[in-house]
Amino acid sequence: MKAATDPVPPTAAAPAPILEAIRVSRRFGGLVAVDEVSLSIAAGEVVGLIGPNGAGKSTLFDVLAGERQPSAGQVLLRGRRVEREPAEARLAGGLGRTFQIPRPFGALSVLENVMLGAAHHPGERLWPNLFAPTRVAAAERAARARALEILAFLGLEALAKEPARVLSGGQRKLLELARVLMAEPAVVLLDEPAAGVHPTLMQTIVERLATLARGGLAVLLIEHHLGLIAELCARAVVMAEGRVLCVGTPAAVLADARVAEAYVGRPAA
């Protein structure tokens, strides 16, 4: 038995959020698409954002990623306010985003598409190309090697030299994720990664996202495939009519009568 004088072990502090929304709203004229939504996600977390069509999920993603500015509220990335910064600045700060419908550069190879995602490449500026070609060439080799590593991780290495236009819908989703990973983000917003994807590829996506989260990547995803949410996410945020309806484990929120009512439009039996 411990003595009465033994120190009480300290309570572990909750990890600081990588991405945080504080009372975020977005209006379009008289329509309130997002209404005072607050949420946060920490390193290594996979959080699902679910809700019926028209709930405001995609608009919230646009606000978090910098595609739209909020009408009110704050967006914090690594503790720094970014709600007035454009998407390019947020990507440079560690926030990546994929879209529901991927649009790769079809004439470029799969490898070239991924390499376009490399951050801070010196070859993007005129001065290094003119006066530091050796450094540019070294950066190009490093980007190519990194892109090949990511393609191998996602199971696309055999298609590296193929034009992106030959990829299936699921492979295009993996390619878009690969391009985002080239920027070495701290948090990624995924918009319906499983939509229209063959079950085999969907399982690949689930496994790779779980591996990335174990490595510390924070993932917030919109997904209508509730089985994927239950398998992958430790926490789910449910939106309805622009507001957060409830937050909890996938099992808890899917058992919530309010969630069933939001999806079917009537009280659950």
Side-chain angles (χ1 to χ4, degrees):
M1 180 181 294
K2 281 192 171 186
T5 54
D6 284 352
V8 177
T11 303
I18 295 290
L19 179 66
E20 191 171 8
I22 302 174
R23 299 174 67 88
V24 164
S25 296
R26 173 66 194 195
R27 299 178 181 86
F28 298 94
L31 172 66
V32 182
V34 176
D35 192 2
E36 294 194 346
V37 167
S38 295
L39 59 80
S40 65
I41 179 169
E45 269 198 300
V46 183
V47 177
L49 182 61
I50 65 175
N53 290 330
K57 305 182 299 296
S58 292
T59 301
L60 177 62
F61 257 37
D62 287 345
V63 171
L64 294 176
E67 305 293 335
R68 302 182 188 275
Q69 291 189 354
S71 303
Q74 300 177 10
V75 177
L76 279 70
L77 178 60
R78 290 171 162 168
R80 184 174 62 85
R81 290 184 61 174
V82 296
E83 67 268 11
R84 301 301 169 194
E85 293 186 358
E88 298 80 19
R90 297 189 206 189
L91 177 61
L95 190 155
R97 188 241 175 114
T98 69
F99 292 86
Q100 183 179 351
I101 301 175
R103 293 184 176 87
F105 295 95
L108 298 182
S109 72
V110 169
L111 177 61
E112 288 167 336
N113 267 271
V114 178
M115 290 177 66
L116 287 174
H120 313 301
H121 194 294
E124 296 174 353
R125 301 185 300 278
L126 177 61
W127 186 270
N129 279 286
L130 292 176
F131 298 101
T134 303
R135 183 162 68 91
V136 171
E140 188 77 7
R141 289 192 298 271
R144 180 184 179 87
R146 175 61 179 153
L148 287 170
E149 286 178 3
I150 293 172
L151 287 174
F153 172 69
L154 295 175
L156 294 176
E157 70 274 24
L159 298 167
K161 296 181 180 179
E162 298 294 327
R165 63 175 175 268
V166 308
L167 299 184
S168 69
Q171 290 169 336
R172 290 183 181 210
K173 298 243 175 168
L174 286 169
L175 174 58
E176 189 172 40
L177 176 59
R179 190 161 55 192
V180 169
L181 292 177
M182 273 295 289
E184 300 182 353
V187 56
V188 173
L189 311 181
L190 301 181
D191 196 345
E192 297 196 37
V197 175
H198 187 277
T200 302
L201 273 180
M202 186 178 73
Q203 192 57 38
T204 297
I205 291 172
V206 169
E207 292 171 357
R208 297 306 182 266
L209 289 177
T211 300
L212 290 167
R214 287 194 293 271
L217 184 69
V219 179
L220 178 64
L221 66 138
I222 296 173
E223 186 52 65
H224 290 290
H225 193 296
L226 299 182
L228 184 150
I229 294 290
E231 180 177 357
L232 186 59
C233 301
R235 185 161 53 96
V237 178
V238 184
M239 287 185 67
E241 298 180 347
R243 289 180 170 269
V244 172
L245 185 63
C246 62
V247 181
T249 65
V253 300
L254 294 177
D256 193 307
R258 295 171 298 170
V259 175
E261 183 176 354
Y263 269 98
V264 302
R266 61 180 184 273

